[in-house]
Amino acid sequence: MFEHPDFDDHEMVAWFQDPGSGLRGVIALHSTALGPAMGGCRLWSYASDADALGDALRLSRGMSLKNAMAELPLGGGKSVIIGPVAGPCRAAAFEAFGAAVDRLGGAYVTAEDVGVGVADMQAVARATRHVSGLAGTETAPGGDPSPFTARGVLRGMQAAAEVAFGSPDLRGRRVAVQGVGHVGAALCGLLADAGATLVLADADAARARQVAARTGAEVADPGAILAVPADIVSPCALGGTLSAPVAEVLQAPVVAGAANNQLATPDIAPRLAARGILYAPDYVINAGGIIAVGAEYLGGETRADVLAKVDAIGPRLAGLFAEAAARGESPALSADRAAATRLAAAR
Ligand code: NAI
């Protein structure tokens, strides 16, 4: 693990398993300098255990940066469950995962990520209290983080539109959304309400058609969505989709989406900047979900407080865009510097 290319002085990495339910996975704690390491649990069928470890290492580091930038009293952690998990064993597997989380005594707090829903977190909660994303109410934050993530992405898009087009108004702007799962579908709804014209794609064609029917969107080929003519491209599927070849064929002047770890390699950020494409750093724009589940776990905040914090993602990004422009660097670099400064001050 110490030789792994994605190892970044993580504080702790713990593998867990439960033979009864077939559960296997890994929890990575990147940093607890700012508070308990919080970040979702991903269920994914990895080609190898090394791939699962790499994902956990990258995602947990991203959570440290995300939580620091969102000014949360939380460190960065993430867990991955190596899928598939057999349907009848699912609740037992998540309960066993909860027991693994509990063994860490609160150093790690879990919630939903790709492949994991509220019912899974409710199973986790039978074994530990260090879990969030369980259920919200009219006034209290909580439950599925995706709508909060989508709202934050919308605010980030508006901030980016102000820089790129001179107005935050998305009316008539053509937005291309890659991946219309929990976040992407919610985002499409918000964008349609804001008057944007949508083109979307999903690896699951039926899902793409469903969301398109609800939002009046055009459906594109998943292989071509990032290169369609558009004002804004929004990666909302898995990470790594902004590769070097994609960076050359992108036509939209703005990239603003929810996916974690969008840049396949760090050198993509300056390439986009060199092409005049404004990239909203992923871990800044997609913090709405962790803001909500963090508030649910920590307590003491109303739903209105949480929405105000999610809306603050817009001004935060505007500040980063201004700093990047003043320094002649990519917004990703400005964000990395700001997050590293906050983490270093807390150590
Ligand atoms: P999800 O699993 O509900 O949706 C992902 C969607 O992307 C699925 O519909 C899948 O079919 C589709 N997809 C996968 N590969 C694709 C491809 N190559 N082209 C087109 N579509 C593809 O996941 P969710 O929760 O919506 O998350 C989306 C992204 O946002 C992930 O990267 C996640 O880590 C990130 N994120 C999610 C948050 C949340 O609140 N759910 C919070 C912050 C980040």
Side-chain angles (χ1 to χ4, degrees):
M1 181 191 80
F2 298 107
E3 308 306 320
H4 197 288
D6 294 308
F7 180 71
D8 177 49
D9 287 336
H10 288 67
E11 288 178 11
M12 202 181 99
V13 174
W15 293 90
F16 54 83
Q17 60 129 11
D18 174 54
S21 61
L23 173 78
R24 292 168 65 232
V26 58
I27 300 173
L29 271 63
H30 177 256
S31 167
T32 56
L34 288 167
M38 187 162 185
C41 169
R42 176 171 292 190
L43 169 57
W44 193 252
S45 295
Y46 293 95
S48 67
D49 293 355
D51 284 2
L53 174 64
D55 217 19
L57 292 175
R58 280 190 301 278
L59 290 164
S60 58
R61 175 176 179 274
M63 290 310 300
S64 290
L65 302 176
K66 186 187 304 197
N67 294 345
M69 282 307 285
E71 301 180 31
L72 298 172
L74 294 167
K78 200 91 182 183
S79 48
V80 304
I81 293 178
I82 301 169
V85 170
C89 295
R90 190 163 176 124
F94 275 92
E95 197 169 330
F97 166 64
V101 169
D102 205 59
R103 265 175 234 125
L104 299 179
Y108 171 64
V109 184
T110 196
E112 294 89 346
D113 189 52
V114 172
V116 174
V118 173
D120 299 320
M121 286 301 119
Q122 285 165 343
V124 171
R126 290 201 283 274
T128 184
R129 63 188 173 85
H130 305 300
V131 54
S132 193
L134 298 170
T137 66
E138 287 276 298
T139 50
D144 178 8
S146 311
F148 297 93
T149 305
R151 180 170 169 135
V153 172
L154 178 77
R155 295 290 176 248
M157 269 186 193
Q158 289 166 328
E162 173 115 55
V163 173
F165 313 122
S167 163
D169 194 345
L170 297 177
R171 246 175 312 175
R173 293 277 163 221
R174 186 171 155 88
V175 184
V177 181
Q178 180 195 40
V180 288
H182 288 91
V183 180
L187 178 64
C188 286
L190 296 175
L191 286 168
D193 290 347
T197 306
L198 291 169
V199 48
L200 60 79
D202 198 289
D204 178 342
R207 177 170 263 283
R209 278 197 302 274
Q210 254 171 27
V211 178
R214 274 207 309 272
T215 55
E218 186 187 316
V219 176
D221 186 285
I225 185 74
L226 295 178
V228 299
D231 295 307
I232 301 174
V233 151
S234 186
C236 295
L238 291 184
T241 58
L242 298 176
S243 60
V246 167
E248 297 314 314
V249 296
L250 268 172
Q251 298 195 47
V254 172
V255 177
N260 280 311
N261 300 332
Q262 289 171 35
L263 304 173
T265 48
D267 62 304
I268 303 298
R271 278 180 193 233
L272 294 177
R275 288 197 56 214
I277 296 172
L278 188 64
Y279 166 69
D282 45 14
Y283 61 80
V284 182
I285 195 171
N286 72 9
I290 192 72
I291 291 171
V293 292
E296 179 186 342
Y297 181 71
L298 296 166
E301 281 184 320
T302 64
R303 191 178 154 84
D305 296 333
V306 168
L307 292 179
K309 278 193 181 174
V310 172
D311 289 345
I313 288 172
R316 182 172 298 127
L317 273 169
L320 282 176
F321 292 146
E323 184 182 338
R327 289 180 181 254
E329 65 187 21
S330 69
L333 190 59
S334 306
D336 284 352
R337 185 187 313 103
T341 304
R342 280 180 202 176
L343 280 172
R347 277 201 176 108

